[in-house]
Amino acid sequence: MKAMILAAGKGTRVRPITFTIPKPMIPIMQKPVMEFLVDLLRQHSFDEIMVNVSHLADEIENYFRDGQGFGVDIAYSFEGRIEDGMLIGDAVGSAGGMKRIQDFSPFFDDTFIVLCGDALIDLDLTAAVEWHRQKGSMATIIMKTVDPNDVSSYGVVVTDEEGRIKSFQEKPTVDEALSNTINTGIYIFEPEILDLIPSGEEFDIGGDLFPKLVSMNLPFYGVAMDFQWVDIGKVPDYWHAIRSVLKGEVKNVAIPGREVAPGIYTGLNVDVNWDKVDIQGPVYIGGMTRIDDGVKIIGPTMIGPNCHICKGATVDNSVIFEYSRLGPEANLVDKLVFGRYCVDKTGVSLDVRTAALDWLITDVRQDAHVPAPVMI
């Protein structure tokens, strides 16, 4: 069976992470989010996977290659060009990406599924496809029911009593919302859908294709299913996703490493004197990370591999990426540290180099300069 993973977006709302990591490669406990999708597709016999790529395409292609190491076949459709020896992404829209693949050579020849490459899900894809076929649907949106007070964060889908899609609302206010079922970015299509997408131009699934289906009164349905869906649309979403994994709330994501004490997990060769630190789980510490004496770590917290948390520092409810050094006596609360950036849980980012704080949060691979302690 065939599937497509949408992986061409720039991920602007997840910056600064996506400055150097494409959105589908953002790690969830050291494993790219797209790898969880590939695993799910394989489990439900979707073993021929097309991926459209653009922004930082080589990061995705070099990791997954032809898919053989993941038990599937993968091919890529690059959207962009080369300028001055550099790959320049130039995405053609989610529907445009589907059409580009089909125009190259007809790939989609039976019912196929399309997934956004930036969410953790545990959906029963087999049951979803069966529902789609029973309805005789040309296109089906897999929906989720959310608390009515949360609808303003999502694209709302309005259906009739048979599940036929009537209209959409993009992030309506609570009072304006006509439904509390939302679009999860998981779609099931018949190949005929490609005939409705123009060739050679930017065309979006949600913004262009779906309104066209509604206006033409084609068999277009939505089904609300009970499954876990952790969207990583913005930096705060990522922060919450890591917290949820550490707290055991995400069923298909295990905490890696070994549990050295209740709720405390480590990778290989962590340098820490457990009698001289205060660590309150759930906490994950990556391999080859050094935790100095007098450090306090309060979970849920993830510290990546090859980090150094210096003497007397506190890390509370935070996410620290690999090769980060946190200076002595620093107090990091509700933060995400990624390279030269420190981001709070609302998504506000601080460039520590520009702010002259690169002695406090820096890369372990460069010499440390340690002046007086500072609270951040």
Side-chain angles (χ1 to χ4, degrees), residues 183-226:
N183 181 356
T184 63
I186 305 168
Y187 313 121
I188 305 170
F189 294 121
E190 293 302 312
E192 293 76 24
I193 200 76
L194 280 301
D195 297 333
L196 303 176
I197 303 172
S199 297
E201 63 181 80
E202 188 171 338
F203 208 73
D204 183 63
I205 290 176
D208 299 306
L209 179 60
F210 286 166
K212 191 172 186 178
L213 291 173
V214 172
S215 67
M216 295 175 68
N217 199 32
L218 292 169
F220 180 27
Y221 291 85
V223 56
M225 300 185 71
D226 183 18

XYZ file of all heavy atoms in Angstrom, residues 183-226:
343
model
N -9.252 19.222 12.118
C -8.440 18.583 11.088
C -7.084 18.218 11.686
O -6.373 19.077 12.207
C -8.283 19.560 9.918
C -7.477 18.983 8.767
O -6.953 17.885 8.840
N -7.384 19.745 7.691
N -6.702 16.946 11.584
C -5.432 16.489 12.157
C -4.312 16.403 11.123
O -3.188 16.012 11.470
C -5.603 15.092 12.791
O -5.957 14.153 11.765
C -6.659 15.110 13.877
N -4.600 16.733 9.864
C -3.573 16.623 8.833
C -3.324 15.198 8.388
O -2.257 14.881 7.852
N -4.316 14.334 8.591
C -4.247 12.938 8.136
C -5.373 12.745 7.133
O -6.546 12.942 7.464
C -4.399 11.955 9.307
C -3.366 12.253 10.391
C -4.274 10.512 8.824
C -3.634 11.532 11.704
N -5.016 12.356 5.899
C -5.999 12.296 4.815
C -5.925 10.954 4.094
O -4.846 10.369 3.946
C -5.738 13.422 3.804
C -5.505 14.768 4.422
C -4.310 15.464 4.205
C -6.462 15.354 5.247
C -4.080 16.706 4.787
C -6.241 16.603 5.823
C -5.051 17.268 5.594
O -4.836 18.495 6.168
N -7.089 10.506 3.619
C -7.158 9.314 2.776
C -7.780 9.729 1.449
O -8.818 10.392 1.427
C -7.996 8.199 3.438
C -7.443 7.873 4.832
C -7.997 6.940 2.574
C -8.331 6.957 5.647
N -7.138 9.352 0.343
C -7.570 9.786 -0.975
C -7.714 8.609 -1.931
O -7.038 7.585 -1.791
C -6.553 10.755 -1.593
C -6.424 12.074 -0.887
C -5.192 12.484 -0.365
C -7.507 12.931 -0.765
C -5.061 13.706 0.269
C -7.376 14.163 -0.124
C -6.153 14.548 0.384
N -8.565 8.813 -2.925
C -8.586 7.969 -4.104
C -7.764 8.661 -5.195
O -7.657 9.900 -5.217
C -10.022 7.742 -4.578
C -10.862 6.927 -3.607
C -10.270 5.558 -3.311
O -9.885 4.860 -4.286
O -10.171 5.197 -2.127
N -7.181 7.889 -6.119
C -6.323 8.498 -7.149
C -7.017 9.580 -7.974
O -6.348 10.503 -8.460
C -5.930 7.309 -8.026
C -6.069 6.123 -7.140
C -7.213 6.426 -6.218
N -8.351 9.516 -8.107
C -9.084 10.510 -8.905
C -8.919 11.928 -8.360
O -9.145 12.910 -9.077
C -10.570 10.142 -8.950
C -10.895 8.856 -9.703
C -10.555 7.605 -8.909
O -10.505 7.697 -7.658
O -10.311 6.547 -9.532
N -8.504 12.026 -7.096
C -8.326 13.347 -6.500
C -7.274 14.145 -7.254
O -7.329 15.381 -7.322
C -7.944 13.208 -5.003
C -8.241 14.513 -4.253
C -6.501 12.817 -4.832
C -9.660 14.740 -3.953
N -6.298 13.453 -7.838
C -5.207 14.136 -8.534
C -5.696 14.896 -9.765
O -5.056 15.860 -10.198
C -4.124 13.132 -8.943
C -3.115 12.662 -7.886
C -2.346 13.823 -7.292
C -3.718 11.803 -6.821
N -6.832 14.473 -10.345
C -7.374 15.158 -11.519
C -7.864 16.569 -11.185
O -8.055 17.396 -12.088
C -8.529 14.351 -12.120
C -8.082 12.980 -12.624
O -6.888 12.850 -12.977
O -8.916 12.053 -12.653
N -8.088 16.837 -9.906
C -8.607 18.144 -9.487
C -7.501 19.130 -9.121
O -7.786 20.276 -8.779
C -9.533 17.957 -8.276
C -10.710 16.998 -8.467
C -11.478 16.843 -7.156
C -11.632 17.492 -9.566
N -6.253 18.686 -9.200
C -5.119 19.522 -8.815
C -4.395 19.988 -10.064
O -3.989 19.172 -10.895
C -4.157 18.742 -7.901
C -4.898 18.212 -6.663
C -2.987 19.632 -7.474
C -4.065 17.271 -5.817
N -4.217 21.280 -10.256
C -3.516 21.778 -11.446
C -2.033 21.422 -11.401
O -1.433 21.326 -10.331
C -3.730 23.291 -11.378
C -3.951 23.578 -9.928
C -4.666 22.388 -9.373
N -1.457 21.242 -12.557
C -0.032 20.930 -12.659
C 0.800 22.208 -12.677
O 0.366 23.241 -13.189
C 0.248 20.133 -13.936
O -0.412 18.893 -13.924
N 1.994 22.112 -12.091
C 2.968 23.181 -12.229
C 2.676 24.453 -11.475
O 3.211 25.516 -11.823
N 1.835 24.396 -10.460
C 1.571 25.595 -9.669
C 1.367 25.224 -8.208
O 1.067 24.077 -7.871
C 0.368 26.357 -10.199
C -0.952 25.619 -10.142
C -2.098 26.459 -10.723
O -2.232 26.508 -11.951
O -2.840 27.058 -9.922
N 1.549 26.219 -7.341
C 1.399 25.980 -5.907
C -0.073 25.753 -5.581
O -0.942 26.525 -5.987
C 1.948 27.166 -5.120
C 2.005 26.927 -3.629
C 2.754 28.024 -2.893
O 3.565 28.724 -3.534
O 2.515 28.179 -1.684
N -0.351 24.675 -4.846
C -1.736 24.307 -4.540
C -1.732 23.590 -3.201
O -0.949 22.670 -2.972
C -2.288 23.398 -5.646
C -3.777 23.477 -5.832
C -4.366 24.581 -6.428
C -4.597 22.431 -5.428
C -5.743 24.648 -6.631
C -5.967 22.484 -5.617
C -6.545 23.603 -6.228
N -2.605 24.021 -2.306
C -2.616 23.507 -0.940
C -3.801 22.560 -0.733
O -4.888 22.775 -1.289
C -2.701 24.679 0.035
C -2.635 24.235 1.476
O -1.599 23.675 1.879
O -3.630 24.419 2.204
N -3.599 21.539 0.072
C -4.689 20.597 0.353
C -5.814 21.296 1.101
O -6.968 21.265 0.682
C -4.169 19.386 1.157
C -3.267 18.506 0.298
C -5.350 18.550 1.686
C -2.626 17.348 1.048
N -5.478 21.935 2.219
C -6.512 22.550 3.039
C -7.092 23.815 2.448
O -8.312 24.019 2.482
N -6.241 24.662 1.889
C -6.705 25.963 1.420
C -7.304 25.970 0.031
O -8.139 26.835 -0.286
N -6.901 25.010 -0.813
C -7.349 25.020 -2.206
C -8.149 23.775 -2.600
O -9.236 23.879 -3.164
C -6.139 25.150 -3.140
C -5.362 26.435 -2.905
O -5.986 27.506 -2.941
O -4.138 26.359 -2.681
N -7.610 22.605 -2.309
C -8.255 21.370 -2.747
C -9.556 21.103 -2.012
O -10.587 20.788 -2.635
C -7.293 20.194 -2.568
C -7.829 18.817 -2.954
C -8.240 18.785 -4.427
C -6.801 17.729 -2.655
N -9.547 21.217 -0.693
C -10.743 20.880 0.065
C -11.927 21.799 -0.239
O -13.057 21.311 -0.420
C -10.429 20.858 1.555
C -9.631 19.637 1.980
C -9.010 19.596 3.220
C -9.500 18.536 1.147
C -8.285 18.478 3.616
C -8.767 17.419 1.531
C -8.157 17.393 2.769
N -11.742 23.125 -0.316
C -12.877 23.965 -0.717
C -13.421 23.598 -2.097
O -14.623 23.693 -2.337
C -12.278 25.379 -0.715
C -11.160 25.304 0.267
C -10.575 23.934 0.093
N -12.547 23.157 -2.981
C -12.968 22.735 -4.320
C -13.860 21.497 -4.234
O -14.886 21.389 -4.929
C -11.730 22.447 -5.171
C -11.999 22.254 -6.657
C -10.672 22.169 -7.412
C -10.897 22.115 -8.910
N -9.606 22.092 -9.657
N -13.503 20.553 -3.371
C -14.317 19.347 -3.198
C -15.705 19.698 -2.677
O -16.717 19.137 -3.123
C -13.623 18.384 -2.230
C -12.340 17.718 -2.705
C -11.698 16.931 -1.579
C -12.602 16.815 -3.893
N -15.754 20.618 -1.713
C -17.044 21.026 -1.156
C -17.899 21.714 -2.213
O -19.088 21.409 -2.369
C -16.838 21.953 0.068
C -18.176 22.537 0.530
C -16.186 21.185 1.215
N -17.299 22.622 -2.977
C -18.060 23.375 -3.978
C -18.582 22.484 -5.095
O -19.645 22.738 -5.670
C -17.203 24.497 -4.568
O -16.123 23.955 -5.325
N -17.862 21.401 -5.392
C -18.277 20.481 -6.456
C -19.197 19.372 -5.929
O -19.644 18.518 -6.699
C -17.046 19.863 -7.117
C -16.160 20.865 -7.848
S -14.632 20.132 -8.506
C -15.314 19.065 -9.789
N -19.444 19.387 -4.605
C -20.323 18.405 -3.972
C -19.873 16.968 -4.242
O -20.688 16.073 -4.473
C -21.777 18.601 -4.444
C -22.771 17.950 -3.489
O -22.536 17.876 -2.283
N -23.875 17.450 -4.034
N -18.580 16.753 -4.179
C -18.020 15.419 -4.383
C -18.049 14.637 -3.066
O -18.205 15.226 -1.997
C -16.593 15.547 -4.910
C -16.492 16.123 -6.323
C -15.046 16.469 -6.675
C -17.057 15.145 -7.348
N -17.927 13.314 -3.128
C -17.978 12.503 -1.894
C -16.759 12.747 -1.017
O -15.690 12.167 -1.204
C -18.020 11.061 -2.413
C -17.494 11.124 -3.804
C -17.848 12.471 -4.339
N -16.935 13.633 -0.055
C -15.857 14.153 0.778
C -16.319 14.063 2.227
O -17.302 14.706 2.606
C -15.582 15.598 0.357
C -14.501 16.306 1.111
C -13.440 15.627 1.716
C -14.511 17.692 1.201
C -12.447 16.301 2.391
C -13.521 18.386 1.872
C -12.494 17.688 2.463
N -15.637 13.236 3.023
C -16.109 12.926 4.368
C -15.043 13.211 5.428
O -13.856 13.306 5.144
C -16.506 11.454 4.457
C -17.748 11.103 3.673
C -17.672 10.788 2.318
C -18.998 11.088 4.282
C -18.814 10.474 1.589
C -20.149 10.772 3.566
C -20.042 10.471 2.218
O -21.185 10.169 1.505
N -15.529 13.315 6.640
C -14.647 13.411 7.792
C -15.105 12.429 8.849
O -16.308 12.252 9.060
N -14.148 11.795 9.501
C -14.495 10.856 10.564
C -13.651 11.176 11.793
O -12.428 11.287 11.713
C -14.291 9.386 10.116
C -12.869 9.124 9.627
C -14.658 8.423 11.244
N -14.325 11.346 12.917
C -13.630 11.589 14.190
C -13.284 10.244 14.810
O -14.164 9.419 15.041
C -14.507 12.408 15.130
N -11.995 10.020 15.052
C -11.533 8.758 15.615
C -10.831 9.012 16.945
O -10.318 10.105 17.193
C -10.609 8.041 14.628
C -11.287 7.727 13.295
S -10.265 6.747 12.152
C -10.271 5.150 12.997
N -10.821 7.994 17.769
C -10.194 8.083 19.084
C -8.751 7.608 18.961
O -8.484 6.417 18.832
C -10.958 7.224 20.083
C -10.388 7.342 21.498
O -9.665 8.318 21.757
O -10.672 6.446 22.318
